[in-house]
Amino acid sequence: MLYQMVLGRRFEEKCAEVYRMGKIGGFCHLYIGQEAIATGAMMALEPSDMVITSYRDHVQAMVKGIAPEAVLAELYGKIGGCVKGKGGSMHMFSKEHEFYGGHGIVGGQIGVGTGMAYAAKYKESGQVTLCFFGEAAVNQGIFHESLNMAQLWKLPVIYICENNHYGMGTSQERAMSTRNIAKKADAYEMANEFVDGMDVMAVRDAALRAIERARNESLPTLLEVRSYRYMGHSMSDPGNYRTREEIAKYQERDPIVLFKDSLQEAKVLGDKDFDAIEAKAAETVERAVKFAEESPFPPESELLTDVLV
């Protein structure tokens, strides 16, 4: 899990670097600061379980098994990307790895994720669905409609609200009448938990409880996982709505540092071990950069393929 978190951090740092160099076009939303959520929740899944998420999807795609090379090539718009360079940053996808996006419409994936869970129950596939979204999506009607249906129809779905405090540049306090998102599930008699999103083991433990509930009882859960994004909403966001002091306060509880320290305190990780993890992550990221750089752009013949009319 520590390697996956470090890889996610170094990968996103490289994305920021090459974005500034003009290698990546369009929007680019980074996950730096939130690595414990994807890692803790998704590494508790079976490979056949399904995941759907929002536009902040690079790290989640890699945790689900899509190669870093294919994720970065997708960011570059190259044919070697996981969707042949046609989706870009916000639309990572892999049927092979049961990863269903990457969605750009705020909250839109909540309804789709609910439908995926319905299909799994209908087909008796035994699959659990994880559906990620940000706290701003909770103000959308589809959030409430989906939770009502999921509890009414007893669907094996886990809704994971990644509460990073800001919907684009608007703080949660300015946009939401109550800060306790987990308790919104009480309105639908749905199981719910508040989780410290800087603690990867706390995320994993909560996810395991929700996964057991979904797989064995076919019941949904809402997890509110409170975290903090260090970067702006996207690469084009200067972040003038918050102070450097505020960011620094949250970085004192950096999820990677917290987990590393806990492992060292338990004497299961040494400095050399962590150095090896960092070196492996750096090597993987450089390999992904080389692949993305060398991969060609999609040929003209790809213009009308994979398009529904």
Side-chain angles (χ1 to χ4, degrees):
M1 285 199 298
L2 183 60
Y3 169 70
Q4 201 68 56
M5 294 170 70
V6 172
L7 174 62
R9 177 71 59 89
R10 302 300 168 240
F11 184 91
E12 295 288 69
E13 289 171 348
K14 181 59 71 173
C15 287
E17 178 184 329
V18 297
Y19 186 93
R20 295 186 182 104
M21 295 167 65
K23 303 281 188 179
I24 298 173
F27 291 107
C28 183
H29 307 81
L30 302 180
Y31 202 62
I32 296 174
Q34 298 180 222
E35 298 89 352
I37 305 177
T39 303
M42 293 174 63
M43 293 189 77
L45 292 171
E46 297 292 334
S48 60
D49 290 330
M50 299 181 285
V51 172
I52 188 167
T53 186
S54 69
Y55 39 77
R56 205 177 303 280
D57 60 349
H58 314 158
V59 174
Q60 287 154 334
M62 291 191 294
V63 176
K64 197 67 176 77
I66 302 177
E69 290 91 334
V71 175
L72 196 57
E74 189 57 43
L75 284 156
Y76 273 57
K78 299 291 190 71
I79 192 72
C82 59
V83 289
K84 304 179 185 176
K86 299 179 181 180
S89 171
M90 296 196 285
H91 303 292
M92 301 295 163
F93 188 96
S94 170
K95 176 68 178 69
E96 175 190 358
H97 295 287
E98 303 288 354
F99 187 79
Y100 296 93
H103 292 259
I105 303 299
V106 174
Q109 77 278 14
I110 303 175
V112 180
T114 303
M116 289 161 52
Y118 182 89
K121 182 171 183 178
Y122 184 79
K123 294 189 292 187
E124 300 181 347
S125 69
Q127 293 167 292
V128 170
T129 298
L130 283 195
C131 179
F132 292 91
F133 49 90
E135 83 287 347
V138 171
N139 296 330
Q140 303 281 354
I142 196 166
F143 167 80
H144 301 276
E145 296 172 63
S146 297
L147 264 64
N148 176 62
M149 292 168 66
Q151 182 66 20
L152 180 66
W153 294 342
K154 313 300 183 199
L155 302 182
V157 57
I158 301 161
Y159 299 103
I160 299 185
C161 175
E162 299 192 74
N163 185 352
N164 63 24
H165 302 268
Y166 290 93
M168 297 186 72
T170 303
S171 68
Q172 184 185 355
E173 288 83 356
R174 294 182 58 206
M176 196 175 293
S177 60
T178 172
R179 294 194 62 195
N180 194 330
I181 292 171
K183 286 300 177 187
K184 288 179 183 285
D186 286 345
Y188 308 102
E189 300 183 351
M190 182 185 293
N192 59 84
E193 281 190 55
F194 169 82
V195 187
D196 178 2
M198 299 305 216
D199 182 345
V200 67
M201 292 307 295
V203 176
R204 178 180 170 83
D205 289 346
L208 284 170
R209 288 188 288 273
I211 291 168
E212 181 179 7
R213 187 178 300 113
R215 203 180 311 280
N216 299 330
E217 302 176 63
S218 192
L219 287 173
T221 299
L222 171 64
L223 300 179
E224 178 193 355
V225 188
R226 200 168 294 180
S227 185
Y228 194 82
R229 62 169 157 78
Y230 297 168
M231 304 289 284
H233 170 72
S234 70
M235 285 299 295
S236 59
D237 174 11
N240 294 333
Y241 46 85
R242 57 184 181 175
T243 64
R244 292 182 182 274
E245 290 75 18
E246 177 183 312
I247 298 171
K249 185 187 79 172
Y250 283 99
Q251 288 176 326
E252 290 174 1
R253 295 193 71 245
D254 183 275
I256 294 175
V257 175
L258 285 182
F259 191 37
K260 181 191 75 169
D261 289 349
S262 70
L263 293 174
Q264 289 185 327
E265 189 175 334
K267 302 191 184 307
V268 296
L269 181 83
D271 289 339
K272 289 184 178 178
D273 299 320
F274 186 70
D275 290 343
I277 286 173
E278 283 279 13
K280 182 181 176 184
E283 182 183 331
T284 300
V285 170
E286 288 308 315
R287 192 165 57 242
V289 171
K290 184 174 189 296
F291 179 84
E293 295 276 356
E294 295 178 353
S295 180
F297 285 107
E300 197 171 306
S301 59
E302 284 288 340
L303 273 175
L304 297 179
T305 61
D306 308 311
V307 178
L308 292 176
V309 180

